[in-house]
């Protein structure tokens, strides 16, 4: 199959598709026994910088499920590690930053990202595109707000209180941080597209923590600059808990707005407005239920997705570690039977 005929890329561009395309956030990872085997004893950030492992892990769900797109195996903090930020991914916790950035002196650590900082990205993506053939590869990065939150808080945060304290109380410092991160994220995505990624997804995982007015003032300009600075490939934007922000996520410049499980897709289409495709949005926890329930909820999502100008079926967040891979295989087959 030619890449131009990809149902995934066509849906992203709001063109007619032979079937509803499907891929899953975190489709490569903890729910797959083959992933656990190759990752055994290998720290996450080591795996994310080892081309052979990246290729193998990215390909695993494509082989097992027959999804319509692969997503590059990495982590959102990889570009920060590549420019020398002292951080690690602690099992069961997530990214932990040794020296959180909370003043102008700390910002000096955020130098621009050069392609030579991430040679493993170029090598992996070139190898993957050769192996994937007509299946598109999605490149990805974390958005400035989410990366900034990790850097300020020093790790995952429930309330993002230090992050908001800087945003509200030290706006000059905040905007300097966002400027630097915008440059790093854009450079990282450009490397991926230059190497052969057919689409990109920007994850703003924690942006649902802010109110719409704050998003517009403190975050939107930077997200918009990233999407405007990318070559002409489909651009997907996703955040968690973003029901109140869906219209603004559309304004930021993505071609596809990812929707978590909290808002039905027909309502999401109304909030986002015309000219965008939607991605989503089965609750990942549904996959832990018996198949009859999974099928009913999936058909509901497919029915609601008809309200969108283009629909890429996905989960409303990442695959949960305890998910049975056979459920995802059956779900993929069910979605592929669906013609919008």
């Amino acid at each position: 199959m030619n890449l131009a005929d990809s149902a995934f890329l066509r849906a992203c561009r709001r063109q007619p598709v032979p079937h509803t395309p499907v891929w899953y956030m975190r489709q490569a990872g903890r729910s797959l026994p083959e992933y656990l085997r190759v990752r055994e004893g290998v720290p996450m950030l080591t795996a994310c910088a080892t081309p052979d492992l990246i290729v193998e892990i990215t390909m695993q769900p494509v082989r097992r499920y027959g999804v319509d797109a692969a997503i590059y195996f990495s982590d959102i903090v990889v570009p920060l590690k590549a420019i020398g930020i002292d951080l690690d991914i602690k099992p069961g916790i997530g990214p932990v930053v040794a020296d959180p950035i909370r003043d102008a002196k700390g910002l000096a650590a955020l130098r621009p990202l050069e392609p030579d900082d991430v040679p493993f990205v170029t090598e992996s993506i070139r190898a993957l595109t050769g192996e994937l053939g007509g299946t598109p590869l999605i490149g990805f990065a974390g958005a400035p707000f989410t990366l900034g939150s990790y850097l300020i808080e020093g790790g995952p945060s429930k309330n993002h209180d230090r992050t908001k304290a800087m945003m509200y109380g030290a706006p000059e410092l905040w905007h300097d941080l966002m400027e630097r991160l915008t440059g790093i994220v854009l450079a990282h995505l450009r490397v991926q597209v230059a190497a052969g990624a057919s689409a990109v997804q920007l994850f703003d995982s924690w942006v649902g923590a802010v109110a719409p007015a704050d998003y517009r003032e403190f975050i939107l300009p930077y997200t918009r600059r990233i999407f405007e600075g990318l070559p002409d490939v489909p651009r997907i934007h996703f955040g968690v808990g973003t029901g109140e922000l869906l219209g603004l996520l559309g304004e930021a410049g993505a071609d596809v707005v990812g929707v978590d499980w909290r808002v039905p897709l027909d309502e999401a289409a109304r909030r986002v407005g015309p000219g965008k495709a939607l991605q989503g949005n089965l609750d990942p926890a549904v996959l832990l239920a018996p198949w009859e329930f999974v099928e009913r909820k999936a058909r509901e999502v497919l029915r609601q997705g008809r309200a969108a100008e283009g629909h890429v079926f996905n989960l409303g967040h990442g695959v949960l570690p305890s998910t049975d891979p056979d459920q995802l295989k059956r779900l993929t087959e069910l979605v592929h039977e669906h013609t919008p």
Side-chain angles (χ1 to χ4, degrees):
M1 186 183 77
N2 192 304
L3 263 178
D5 299 326
S6 153
F8 165 74
L9 294 176
R10 289 183 66 83
C12 289
R13 295 186 174 118
R14 297 174 288 122
Q15 296 168 345
V17 290
H19 61 262
T20 300
V22 52
W23 69 280
Y24 306 108
M25 289 181 279
R26 293 199 188 128
Q27 63 187 17
R30 299 165 293 180
S31 64
L32 289 177
E34 56 266 45
Y35 169 81
L36 297 173
R37 277 197 298 275
V38 298
R39 270 290 317 280
E40 195 173 353
V42 183
M44 180 64 173
L45 285 172
T46 302
C48 292
T50 307
D52 289 353
L53 271 178
I54 294 168
V55 172
E56 170 58 22
I57 293 168
T58 301
M59 290 299 302
Q60 285 175 350
V62 179
R63 296 186 203 117
R64 185 184 268 263
Y65 303 135
V67 284
D68 294 280
I71 184 159
Y72 179 71
F73 173 74
S74 188
D75 189 274
I76 62 171
V77 299
V78 163
L80 300 180
K81 182 78 172 175
I83 61 166
I85 300 295
D86 186 358
L87 57 81
D88 197 10
I89 297 174
K90 300 283 174 70
I93 299 172
V96 176
V97 179
D99 300 304
I101 293 177
R102 293 171 186 163
D103 53 29
K105 187 180 170 193
L107 282 180
L110 289 174
R111 67 167 176 83
L113 178 83
E114 305 293 340
D116 289 348
D117 294 320
V118 285
F120 50 88
V121 172
T122 301
E123 184 182 335
S124 308
I125 289 179
R126 283 181 178 158
L128 277 164
T129 51
E131 201 163 323
L132 284 163
T135 302
L137 176 68
I138 305 167
F140 88 93
F145 175 84
T146 293
L147 292 178
S149 180
Y150 279 121
L151 289 170
I152 296 163
E153 306 286 345
S157 168
K158 205 170 188 178
N159 301 313
H160 309 277
D161 43 355
R162 289 181 183 274
T163 305
K164 290 184 177 183
M166 183 189 291
M167 198 166 74
Y168 299 141
E172 284 185 18
L173 190 62
W174 173 262
H175 287 296
D176 191 353
L177 174 65
M178 290 294 102
E179 287 277 353
R180 290 169 188 250
L181 287 172
T182 296
I184 290 164
V185 171
L186 183 52
H188 192 222
L189 287 171
R190 281 177 172 161
V191 166
Q192 293 175 64
V193 174
S198 302
V200 296
Q201 175 156 314
L202 189 67
F203 285 85
D204 214 345
S205 310
W206 307 136
V207 79
V210 303
D214 293 334
Y215 180 89
R216 186 177 288 283
E217 180 178 353
F218 294 106
I219 299 162
L220 179 62
Y222 303 102
T223 312
R224 184 178 278 148
R225 199 177 310 164
I226 290 167
F227 285 133
E228 286 174 350
L230 286 168
D232 186 23
V233 297
R235 300 153 299 174
I236 309 167
H237 195 15
F238 174 75
V240 184
T242 52
E244 296 300 319
L245 302 177
L246 285 171
L248 288 163
L249 295 186
E251 270 185 54
D255 304 290
V256 184
V257 175
V259 184
D260 79 4
W261 68 91
R262 295 170 176 89
V263 180
L265 287 181
D266 46 1
E267 172 59 17
R270 189 189 67 77
R271 294 186 191 185
V272 170
K276 306 288 176 187
L278 296 185
Q279 178 176 280
N281 71 340
L282 186 72
D283 185 339
V286 165
L287 288 161
L288 308 180
W291 170 251
E292 293 70 28
F293 186 75
V294 177
E295 182 176 7
R296 177 157 67 84
K297 298 302 279 185
R299 290 189 186 279
E300 216 170 88
V301 170
L302 288 164
R303 189 173 65 252
Q304 292 161 349
R306 291 194 189 114
E309 294 179 27
H311 178 210
V312 176
F313 190 98
N314 206 312
L315 304 181
H317 199 195
V319 175
L320 296 170
S322 54
T323 305
D324 178 354
D326 289 342
Q327 291 277 61
L328 282 169
K329 184 164 177 54
R330 288 183 78 176
L331 179 58
T332 306
E333 290 165 357
L334 174 71
V335 175
H336 281 164
E337 291 166 9
H338 179 80
T339 307

